[in-house]
Amino acid sequence: MKFLVLCVLAYCLTFSIVEAKVRHYKWEVKYELKSPDCYKKLAITINGRTPGPSIVAQQGDTIVVELKNSLLTENVAIHWHGIRQIGTPWMDGTEGVTQCPILPGDTFVYKFVVDRPGTYLYHAHYGMQREAGLYGSIRVLLPDGESEPFAYDYDRSIILTDWYHKSTYEQAVGLSSIPFVWVGEPESILIQGRGKFDCSKAGIIPEMCNATSPDCSPYTMTVVPGKTYRLRIGSLTALSALSFEIEGHNMTVVEADGHYVEPFVVKNLFIYSGETYSVLIKTNQSSTRNYWITAKIVGRNNTTPSGLAVLNYYPNHPKRIPPTPPPVGPQWDDLAPRLSQSLAIKSHRNFIHPPPQTSDRVIVMLNTQNNISGYRRWSVNNVSFNLPHTPYLIAYKHNLLHTFDQRPPPDDYASTEDIFSVAENANATTSNAAYRLQFNTTVDIILQNANTMTKNNSETHPWHLHGHDFWVLGYGRGKFDKINDPNKYNLVDPIMKNTVVVHPFGWTALRFRADNPGVWAFHCHIESHFYMGMGVVFEEGVDRVGKLPRSIMGCGDAKGYHRP
Amino acid sequence: MKFLVLCVLAYCLTFSIVEAKVRHYKWEVKYELKSPDCYKKLAITINGRTPGPSIVAQQGDTIVVELKNSLLTENVAIHWHGIRQIGTPWMDGTEGVTQCPILPGDTFVYKFVVDRPGTYLYHAHYGMQREAGLYGSIRVLLPDGESEPFAYDYDRSIILTDWYHKSTYEQAVGLSSIPFVWVGEPESILIQGRGKFDCSKAGIIPEMCNATSPDCSPYTMTVVPGKTYRLRIGSLTALSALSFEIEGHNMTVVEADGHYVEPFVVKNLFIYSGETYSVLIKTNQSSTRNYWITAKIVGRNNTTPSGLAVLNYYPNHPKRIPPTPPPVGPQWDDLAPRLSQSLAIKSHRNFIHPPPQTSDRVIVMLNTQNNISGYRRWSVNNVSFNLPHTPYLIAYKHNLLHTFDQRPPPDDYASTEDIFSVAENANATTSNAAYRLQFNTTVDIILQNANTMTKNNSETHPWHLHGHDFWVLGYGRGKFDKINDPNKYNLVDPIMKNTVVVHPFGWTALRFRADNPGVWAFHCHIESHFYMGMGVVFEEGVDRVGKLPRSIMGCGDAKGYHRP
């Protein structure tokens, strides 16, 4: 009998190690008054926190998030950024694409498998709610017994964001007003949800800003000297491109968007909204002091102070201010090191997923700023995107094709366009049409940047693809040359990513396999740019998508699909 | 042939005069940055305006409002305040009671008959959206050939509101926080959507407040000397009881909530949130100048400046400031004139609807402020109301009775309660149970006021009943005496109303016939009080309610009732 019990116990133990787990989370989303940068503002929290709770799981685990919407009058949806949702395209959390919004009072159950190890994110994907604080990190560990191609003693995650004092409502109203009101530069940069706004600034009501609030004491990462730390860094800025730096410590880049990188060393890491990186740092500096961690805005001329956190060498006091000034970081307008970092990121030599050597379809996407009926917009090939009222996935699957424009959006732009000047005709059209990709084909996307509506200005756009990783085949300056540039593609060891930057006046080429049945958004990860139309949608193999759960229904023509 | 055409034409003309009309309105609801009191704030507008467009119709007309929700992430619902919705209880616009909220992007069609002449209102009935500016007036005229029991030359409508600079989100978060954060007194009083906040106040950022903005030039009512004006006044304040006054002009009260009043003359009119009055004024003063119109807060000690508008005697310049200071109005804490006005409002002698002389059921409703698990709440008989997730009307009709508490709420309060002191035990419970009324019975409601959680304090509560008018049988000071007070009821010529005030430390008795099949909210019309639980719901004859339209479905257990 004793033997039997032992056997069962042993079996259970083995089983629990070997078998994938189901990880349950119960989250309540609501508004709370927070002071992440010392300035009081309503934030959207999960279980009272922003950033929300971290999801930590093992490859193959099933994540179940019971999400209760406790906002008063506002709906919600959460996207699992970097998780491909293979077989569960309805769980991607993209309002208007893969699901209807979750109503106040409703509980929506997200359930999906994290099928690859790596560093991922989650965040609201409805209106501009992400920047109200609804985000967090996902860390997927290797199965027991497997190990990374690099060694480290400790594993830490931080998320970088920028923070505005205006509400998302005010921002959205300004963006869709005539005259156009731009959101402007953020008031502060948050490192793991903490920043420091200068409360002594003119016009700040003292009761609104408390420099000593515990909410805005700088994020402190305590380290033991002589160890190696894996630091997982994600950016979910609303607007800003950042340079991340740890005073006196080089960083070895080892992971990007869930893929192992052939290691390279940087003094500062450029990171764009929607990207994640793992870097290794060695705590091999003088242990008699603390060091600054900084996040500085690059790519835009601005006066936003850099985000500051503290690398706290044990046993120094965590609140002990580093004795030296924080590193000043790179010049905001020096593009060269950013381009050079982009080019440096290649697949780890032992983990190369060889890309298909040819593609079946090439879509060139010109990124432009436009005027449409007096409104300021962003467009792809002069088509500015807007979400339909019935989510695409439901519309395709249930044959509600009248709910959005069926004329295909353009695969290229007019050859007469001059990407180096302000467009003579900045007009564009709006559409909610989708790109339909043939299932299991290989698709190339060339993201072509251009001059904005301001002379000698071109912006930085991080593009994020849902449902896939893509190979990054190349970056270039100027206008993409369809004949010669493809010859320079890296078809040997390109990194796979889900978010990639398009540099000012440059192009970025990427390739992916349309092998994940569903409908997937592909858009600039800058919150206001997507809101202003900078995105597209891909449909692929939607006929292979299983029965849609009723819980994603309830809006537009998908009303009433909840019950039989 | 010519004769035939003429005949048809004549027939059409006659027809259009005699037959009820269908009046179509196309409304788009969205956020816009407005400065109704010179201070910039996001307001919810209808077709760009707050107050929204007025509905002007004739008795018997059908109103069709196509309401497009163009808010970004927020739902909406509009209540037609004072319209009884006989036969169309699903069109009452009360989110959680008669319908699911209207999603962003959705168009909901409200369709109902205005069956009685008079002065009514419309406003948001979801969360606390009303006070964000989503409201307007409804004026229902008599059929051609019929006339009012009073004469006038011109007919004007104005709505009074109070205005906060904090968003409704911030207010709601404060109200449901521990520690409790009260909304405080409003920053200003708006007359027909215009007020004047002092932009020179300390701590006001200049760019947020523009004293010369046309949005906040005072409302001007231009009049011709020597005429009689019917002025329809409605109050939709979030909190404030008001005294309305026109410098140098007496007002003759002739209508209250759509019912003719036996005329009486006042110098100032007390008006509570949810009430409407018609007053007649004669422009018989010196026509060489303009006169102030004021709306002053009463019943609460406050420093909010009175709302100011201008009675502009033609041909004086509308912007000419009256030469005398605005009337100071009554003392805020002088209850006597308020009670006396309440008692003065009786039915016009030629338009008496005799009340039933007895009732079938008496429900006493003690109004108290309470603590529930550390949260501040308001209650009726120590039960604090909260809305269920599935609207009652749908739940009753479709037998989804598990969606809310079926234990009936109490018809009375414990006789041990002392209404004159702070309750020793201020605890209460929450419930979403409804009062079920037997169809076609007569119900008496005694609203009993009490001391709040502050010593020697009792507040003013205007209670509004949906779906009915009720007879106001009496008001009293102190504790209602069930034996003797009913003998003093006015059963001869009581006014009928849909909103009635309960004075501090007083009681108000009302009677109605439960003869309108449906589910109807009855609640304090103070936005924050209802939010904090000060309301109940009545069900009556729900088995007689016709087939519910699918458009009201889509939330809670009513998901999927949209399609067969």
Side-chain angles (χ1 to χ4, degrees):
Chain A
M1 183 65 192
K2 242 181 190 169
F3 176 73
L4 190 69
V5 169
L6 274 174
C7 277
V8 169
L9 203 68
Y11 176 78
C12 285
L13 280 171
T14 320
F15 194 81
S16 71
I17 289 162
V18 172
E19 285 292 302
K21 288 198 189 70
V22 177
R23 294 179 189 268
H24 271 276
Y25 297 86
K26 252 189 140 153
W27 288 359
E28 187 184 13
V29 169
K30 59 176 179 175
Y31 273 110
E32 287 184 58
L33 207 55
K34 293 280 182 189
S35 313
D37 68 350
C38 306
Y39 186 89
K40 272 190 203 168
K41 191 197 152 182
L42 282 190
I44 305 184
T45 60
I46 298 174
N47 297 349
R49 295 159 55 184
T50 170
S54 296
I55 291 179
V56 180
Q58 219 166 2
Q59 183 178 1
D61 287 354
T62 298
I63 306 297
V64 179
V65 178
E66 275 182 55
L67 188 79
K68 167 101 192 273
N69 179 1
S70 290
L71 304 173
L72 184 56
T73 53
E74 206 175 326
N75 308 309
V76 78
I78 293 188
H79 169 56
W80 315 94
H81 183 112
I83 309 300
R84 290 170 300 166
Q85 304 290 356
I86 293 167
T88 52
W90 47 77
M91 287 298 170
D92 191 47
T94 312
E95 192 277 334
V97 179
T98 64
Q99 72 165 103
C100 289
I102 306 163
L103 268 65
D106 263 355
T107 296
F108 186 94
V109 182
Y110 286 103
K111 186 176 176 184
F112 53 88
V113 173
V114 287
D115 62 341
R116 282 186 309 116
T119 307
Y120 308 102
L121 303 161
Y122 67 81
H123 58 78
H125 214 298
Y126 184 50
M128 288 170 60
Q129 286 178 338
R130 186 182 91 214
E131 64 176 84
L134 186 42
Y135 65 89
S137 72
I138 302 174
R139 186 196 297 187
V140 184
L141 306 171
L142 282 172
D144 291 327
E146 293 189 28
S147 61
E148 321 269 357
F150 44 85
Y152 52 94
D153 302 300
Y154 299 102
D155 196 345
R156 300 284 170 82
S157 297
I158 59 170
I159 302 185
L160 312 176
T161 50
D162 44 14
W163 190 247
Y164 288 89
H165 292 173
K166 273 195 185 174
S167 71
T168 57
Y169 299 92
E170 280 175 88
Q171 292 198 3
V173 165
L175 294 175
S176 49
S177 287
I178 299 176
F180 176 71
V181 181
W182 173 236
V183 298
E185 298 299 320
E187 270 77 21
S188 45
I189 301 295
L190 308 186
I191 298 179
Q192 195 59 10
R194 287 146 184 275
K196 186 75 86 185
F197 180 73
D198 179 4
C199 292
S200 66
K201 257 195 173 167
I204 301 300
I205 304 166
E207 70 195 22
M208 288 302 289
C209 204
N210 178 3
T212 62
S213 162
D215 277 13
C216 63
S217 71
Y219 173 71
T220 301
M221 186 172 135
T222 300
V223 292
V224 177
K227 299 288 181 186
T228 299
Y229 284 80
R230 175 181 189 169
L231 185 52
R232 299 167 186 260
I233 309 160
S235 171
L236 284 173
T237 52
L239 173 68
S240 312
L242 297 175
S243 165
F244 178 86
E245 193 167 344
I246 305 177
E247 187 186 9
H249 293 74
N250 282 335
M251 299 178 280
T252 304
V253 180
V254 293
E255 183 215 347
D257 295 5
H259 289 274
Y260 298 131
V261 169
E262 181 64 21
F264 66 101
V265 176
V266 295
K267 183 167 160 281
N268 65 297
L269 178 78
F270 295 106
I271 183 166
Y272 306 94
S273 184
E275 287 189 320
T276 67
Y277 289 97
S278 282
V279 298
L280 301 181
I281 59 165
K282 285 195 197 310
T283 51
N284 55 8
Q285 297 302 300
S286 163
S287 66
T288 62
R289 53 165 291 190
N290 292 336
Y291 298 85
W292 290 112
I293 300 173
T294 65
K296 175 188 176 159
I297 297 180
V298 292
R300 304 182 65 92
N301 194 0
N302 72 90
T303 57
T304 308
S306 293
L308 291 177
V310 173
L311 185 74
N312 165 231
Y313 266 62
Y314 183 82
N316 291 285
H317 194 281
K319 292 213 183 292
R320 199 171 155 200
I321 299 293
T324 40
V328 291
Q331 264 191 277
W332 73 265
D333 57 352
D334 189 1
L335 179 59
R338 281 181 266 148
L339 186 57
S340 129
Q341 179 188 301
S342 294
L343 293 167
I345 302 168
K346 297 197 162 50
S347 179
H348 190 286
R349 66 184 67 192
N350 299 339
F351 293 86
I352 294 170
H353 300 272
Q357 296 296 299
T358 58
S359 75
D360 302 301
R361 181 173 174 185
V362 178
I363 305 176
V364 184
M365 295 190 171
L366 180 69
N367 291 199
T368 53
Q369 205 177 34
N370 299 85
N371 264 330
I372 300 181
S373 317
Y375 292 97
R376 181 68 59 88
R377 301 283 297 178
W378 284 93
S379 309
V380 166
N381 296 340
N382 288 311
V383 176
S384 188
F385 180 72
N386 58 295
L387 281 168
H389 189 35
T390 306
Y392 292 100
L393 184 61
I394 305 170
Y396 276 119
K397 191 73 192 161
H398 289 271
N399 231 345
L400 307 169
L401 297 185
H402 60 279
T403 54
F404 63 98
D405 193 349
Q406 292 302 310
R407 291 166 299 177
D411 271 23
D412 206 341
Y413 62 95
S415 58
T416 52
E417 292 261 5
D418 174 7
I419 69 150
F420 296 106
S421 323
V422 174
E424 277 179 40
N425 175 3
N427 291 340
T429 56
T430 57
S431 170
N432 55 17
Y435 288 89
R436 305 198 70 162
L437 307 178
Q438 218 181 316
F439 187 66
N440 257 336
T441 57
T442 301
V443 179
D444 281 6
I445 306 285
I446 320 298
L447 293 161
Q448 174 67 61
N449 216 332
N451 202 106
T452 64
M453 292 174 70
T454 308
K455 228 174 163 181
N456 297 320
N457 178 251
S458 181
E459 299 197 359
T460 301
H461 302 289
W463 279 78
H464 171 60
L465 178 58
H466 292 224
H468 304 77
D469 296 327
F470 47 73
W471 291 274
V472 181
L473 300 186
Y475 300 84
R477 289 191 182 221
K479 192 168 175 173
F480 178 75
D481 175 340
K482 283 183 216 176
I483 309 297
N484 298 305
D485 282 329
N487 298 329
K488 303 175 209 156
Y489 283 169
N490 176 6
L491 297 174
V492 179
D493 58 358
I495 189 70
M496 297 195 81
K497 291 184 104 265
N498 59 60
T499 305
V500 72
V501 65
V502 187
H503 291 294
F505 292 114
W507 57 263
T508 300
L510 50 98
R511 178 168 292 177
F512 68 96
R513 294 278 302 159
D515 58 1
N516 190 6
V519 187
W520 308 104
F522 177 51
H523 60 91
C524 178
H525 211 261
I526 292 177
E527 193 88 308
S528 49
H529 287 186
F530 182 48
Y531 176 78
M532 292 163 74
M534 200 169 199
V536 301
V537 158
F538 295 125
E539 176 275 326
E540 67 203 49
V542 81
D543 49 307
R544 293 161 189 257
V545 169
K547 193 174 180 312
L548 300 181
R550 290 201 191 107
S551 59
I552 66 166
M553 314 286 186
C555 60
D557 275 36
K559 269 187 175 159
Y561 277 80
H562 284 278
R563 280 165 180 276
Chain B
M1 182 65 189
K2 243 184 190 167
F3 176 73
L4 189 68
V5 169
L6 274 174
C7 278
V8 169
L9 203 68
Y11 175 78
C12 285
L13 280 172
T14 320
F15 195 80
S16 72
I17 288 162
V18 173
E19 285 292 300
K21 288 197 188 72
V22 177
R23 294 179 189 268
H24 271 275
Y25 297 85
K26 251 189 141 154
W27 288 358
E28 188 183 12
V29 170
K30 59 176 181 175
Y31 274 109
E32 288 184 59
L33 207 53
K34 294 280 182 188
S35 313
D37 68 349
C38 306
Y39 186 90
K40 273 190 203 168
K41 192 198 152 184
L42 282 190
I44 305 183
T45 61
I46 298 175
N47 297 348
R49 295 159 56 185
T50 170
S54 296
I55 290 178
V56 180
Q58 220 167 0
Q59 182 178 3
D61 287 353
T62 298
I63 306 298
V64 178
V65 178
E66 275 183 55
L67 187 80
K68 167 101 192 273
N69 178 3
S70 290
L71 303 173
L72 184 56
T73 53
E74 206 175 326
N75 309 310
V76 78
I78 293 189
H79 169 56
W80 315 94
H81 183 112
I83 310 300
R84 291 170 300 167
Q85 303 290 356
I86 293 168
T88 51
W90 46 76
M91 287 298 170
D92 191 47
T94 313
E95 192 277 334
V97 179
T98 64
Q99 72 165 104
C100 289
I102 306 164
L103 267 66
D106 262 355
T107 297
F108 186 94
V109 182
Y110 285 104
K111 186 175 176 185
F112 54 88
V113 174
V114 286
D115 62 341
R116 281 186 308 115
T119 308
Y120 307 102
L121 304 162
Y122 67 81
H123 59 79
H125 213 299
Y126 184 49
M128 289 170 59
Q129 286 178 337
R130 186 183 89 213
E131 64 175 83
L134 186 41
Y135 65 88
S137 71
I138 302 173
R139 185 196 297 187
V140 184
L141 306 172
L142 281 173
D144 291 327
E146 292 188 28
S147 61
E148 321 269 357
F150 44 84
Y152 53 94
D153 302 300
Y154 299 103
D155 196 347
R156 301 284 170 82
S157 296
I158 59 171
I159 302 185
L160 311 177
T161 49
D162 44 14
W163 192 247
Y164 288 90
H165 291 174
K166 273 194 184 174
S167 71
T168 56
Y169 299 92
E170 280 176 88
Q171 292 199 1
V173 165
L175 293 175
S176 48
S177 287
I178 299 176
F180 175 71
V181 181
W182 172 235
V183 297
E185 298 299 320
E187 270 76 21
S188 45
I189 301 295
L190 308 186
I191 298 180
Q192 195 58 10
R194 285 147 184 275
K196 186 75 87 187
F197 180 73
D198 179 5
C199 291
S200 67
K201 259 196 172 166
I204 300 301
I205 304 166
E207 68 195 23
M208 287 303 289
C209 206
N210 177 2
T212 61
S213 162
D215 277 13
C216 64
S217 70
Y219 173 72
T220 301
M221 186 173 134
T222 300
V223 293
V224 178
K227 300 288 181 185
T228 299
Y229 283 80
R230 176 181 189 172
L231 185 54
R232 299 167 187 260
I233 309 161
S235 171
L236 284 174
T237 52
L239 174 68
S240 313
L242 297 175
S243 166
F244 178 86
E245 192 167 344
I246 305 177
E247 187 186 8
H249 294 73
N250 282 336
M251 299 178 280
T252 305
V253 180
V254 292
E255 183 215 347
D257 293 6
H259 289 274
Y260 298 131
V261 169
E262 181 64 21
F264 66 100
V265 175
V266 294
K267 184 165 159 282
N268 66 297
L269 177 79
F270 295 106
I271 183 165
Y272 305 94
S273 184
E275 286 189 321
T276 66
Y277 289 97
S278 283
V279 298
L280 301 181
I281 60 164
K282 286 195 196 308
T283 51
N284 55 7
Q285 298 300 301
S286 162
S287 66
T288 62
R289 54 165 289 190
N290 291 337
Y291 298 85
W292 289 114
I293 300 174
T294 65
K296 175 189 176 159
I297 298 180
V298 293
R300 303 181 66 90
N301 194 359
N302 72 90
T303 57
T304 308
S306 293
L308 290 178
V310 173
L311 185 73
N312 165 230
Y313 266 63
Y314 184 84
N316 291 286
H317 193 282
K319 291 210 183 295
R320 198 172 155 200
I321 298 294
T324 41
V328 291
Q331 265 192 278
W332 74 267
D333 57 352
D334 188 1
L335 179 59
R338 280 181 267 148
L339 187 56
S340 128
Q341 178 188 302
S342 294
L343 293 167
I345 302 168
K346 297 199 161 48
S347 179
H348 189 287
R349 64 184 68 192
N350 300 339
F351 293 85
I352 294 170
H353 300 273
Q357 296 297 299
T358 58
S359 75
D360 301 302
R361 181 173 175 186
V362 177
I363 305 176
V364 184
M365 295 189 171
L366 179 70
N367 291 199
T368 54
Q369 206 178 33
N370 299 85
N371 265 329
I372 300 182
S373 318
Y375 293 97
R376 180 70 57 88
R377 301 283 297 178
W378 285 93
S379 308
V380 166
N381 296 339
N382 288 312
V383 176
S384 188
F385 180 73
N386 57 296
L387 280 168
H389 190 34
T390 306
Y392 292 100
L393 184 61
I394 305 169
Y396 275 120
K397 191 73 192 161
H398 288 271
N399 232 344
L400 308 169
L401 297 186
H402 60 279
T403 55
F404 63 98
D405 194 348
Q406 293 300 312
R407 290 165 301 176
D411 272 21
D412 206 343
Y413 63 96
S415 57
T416 51
E417 290 262 5
D418 175 7
I419 69 150
F420 297 105
S421 323
V422 174
E424 277 179 42
N425 175 2
N427 291 339
T429 56
T430 57
S431 171
N432 55 17
Y435 287 90
R436 304 199 70 163
L437 307 178
Q438 218 181 317
F439 187 65
N440 257 335
T441 57
T442 301
V443 179
D444 281 6
I445 306 285
I446 319 298
L447 293 161
Q448 175 67 60
N449 216 332
N451 202 106
T452 63
M453 292 175 70
T454 307
K455 228 176 162 179
N456 297 320
N457 178 251
S458 181
E459 299 196 359
T460 301
H461 303 289
W463 279 79
H464 171 61
L465 178 58
H466 293 224
H468 304 78
D469 296 327
F470 47 74
W471 292 273
V472 182
L473 300 186
Y475 299 86
R477 290 191 182 222
K479 192 169 175 173
F480 179 73
D481 176 340
K482 283 183 214 174
I483 310 295
N484 298 307
D485 283 329
N487 299 328
K488 302 177 210 155
Y489 283 170
N490 175 5
L491 297 173
V492 178
D493 59 357
I495 189 70
M496 297 195 82
K497 291 184 104 266
N498 60 59
T499 305
V500 72
V501 66
V502 187
H503 291 293
F505 292 114
W507 56 263
T508 300
L510 51 96
R511 178 168 292 178
F512 67 95
R513 295 276 303 157
D515 58 1
N516 190 7
V519 187
W520 307 105
F522 178 50
H523 60 90
C524 178
H525 211 261
I526 292 176
E527 193 87 308
S528 48
H529 287 185
F530 181 48
Y531 177 76
M532 292 164 75
M534 200 170 198
V536 301
V537 158
F538 296 125
E539 175 275 325
E540 67 202 47
V542 81
D543 49 305
R544 292 162 189 255
V545 169
K547 193 173 180 311
L548 301 181
R550 290 199 192 110
S551 59
I552 67 167
M553 314 287 185
C555 61
D557 275 36
K559 269 187 173 156
Y561 277 83
H562 284 280
R563 280 163 181 276

